[in-house]
């Protein structure tokens, strides 16, 4: 597995400290994020998934704990939009340059608005996709917020 991805390059260029963790990716797992957490031996709430959405028809990124669902209404509100919908997988791959299951918020082909669930700040470090299936980066959530210029909000589904 390649240890250098656009995501890791973006983190290095931003001067963000991170640790790489790889695991055996299982595309058939019922929850990719939960499978990653189990493989890494950490709580699922510490592993965050990167979801590509359309907020008022414009691309955006929502980052949330892997053990829960997001509220598209809350994502839209956090981004100042009236409505949000999940982006089609093929569109997400084309926009980000990453394969589904390996979408990182770092180093995407095009910079888009980002919202991170507020629970990320409860951790000293969180896992985010490293730009490849089976690769996670462990980063300080405050660093992630800063480099992504992200909005912090409660985007969890009730």
């Amino acid at each position: 597995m390649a240890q250098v991805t656009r995501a890791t390059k973006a983190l290095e260029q931003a001067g963000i400290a991170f640790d790489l963790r790889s695991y055996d990716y299982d595309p058939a797992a019922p929850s990719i994020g939960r499978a990653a957490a189990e493989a890494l031996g950490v709580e699922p709430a510490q592993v965050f998934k990167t979801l590509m959405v359309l907020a008022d028809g414009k691309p955006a990124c929502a980052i949330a704990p892997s053990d829960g669902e997001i509220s598209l209404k809350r994502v839209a509100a956090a981004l100042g939009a009236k409505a949000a919908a999940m982006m089609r997988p093929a569109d997400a791959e084309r926009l980000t340059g990453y394969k589904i299951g390996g979408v990182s918020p770092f180093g995407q082909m095009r910079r888009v608005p980002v919202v991170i669930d507020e629970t990320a700040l409860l951790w000293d470090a969180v896992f985010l996709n490293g730009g490849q299936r089976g690769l996670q980066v462990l980063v300080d959530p405050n660093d992630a917020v800063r480099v992504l210029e992200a909005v912090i909000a409660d985007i969890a589904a009730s």
Side-chain angles (χ1 to χ4, degrees):
M1 172 177 298
Q3 297 294 301
V4 176
T5 64
R6 282 194 332 276
T8 60
K9 286 179 186 175
L11 287 167
E12 286 172 356
Q13 288 174 347
I16 303 299
F18 65 94
D19 287 327
L20 277 178
R21 306 283 171 87
S22 59
Y23 64 96
D24 290 328
Y25 174 82
D26 179 6
S31 167
I32 302 293
R34 286 180 194 255
E38 188 174 313
L40 296 167
V42 299
E43 293 291 324
Q46 188 180 9
V47 178
F48 282 68
K49 55 189 170 187
T50 303
L51 304 170
M52 299 307 295
V53 299
L54 293 170
D56 287 347
K58 296 181 179 139
C61 180
I63 300 171
S66 65
D67 64 346
E69 300 295 322
I70 63 167
S71 162
L72 289 169
K73 187 175 184 176
R74 288 181 177 184
V75 167
L79 295 171
K82 292 181 182 176
M86 293 301 298
M87 190 180 289
R88 289 186 9 224
D91 293 340
E93 288 183 344
R94 204 169 22 262
L95 179 82
T96 65
Y98 294 120
K99 296 276 185 211
I100 296 300
V103 175
S104 177
F106 308 109
Q108 292 187 4
M109 299 295 282
R110 181 171 146 202
R111 193 163 182 101
V112 299
V114 177
V115 58
I116 298 179
D117 188 75
E118 64 188 7
T119 59
L121 299 181
L122 299 175
W123 299 93
D124 291 333
V126 294
F127 287 95
L128 295 164
N129 195 287
Q132 184 172 303
R133 293 172 177 166
L135 185 66
Q136 296 281 316
V137 290
L138 182 64
V139 298
D140 179 318
N142 295 294
D143 287 341
V145 168
R146 189 175 72 253
V147 74
L148 296 169
E149 298 176 4
V151 172
I152 300 289
D154 176 4
I155 58 171
S158 299

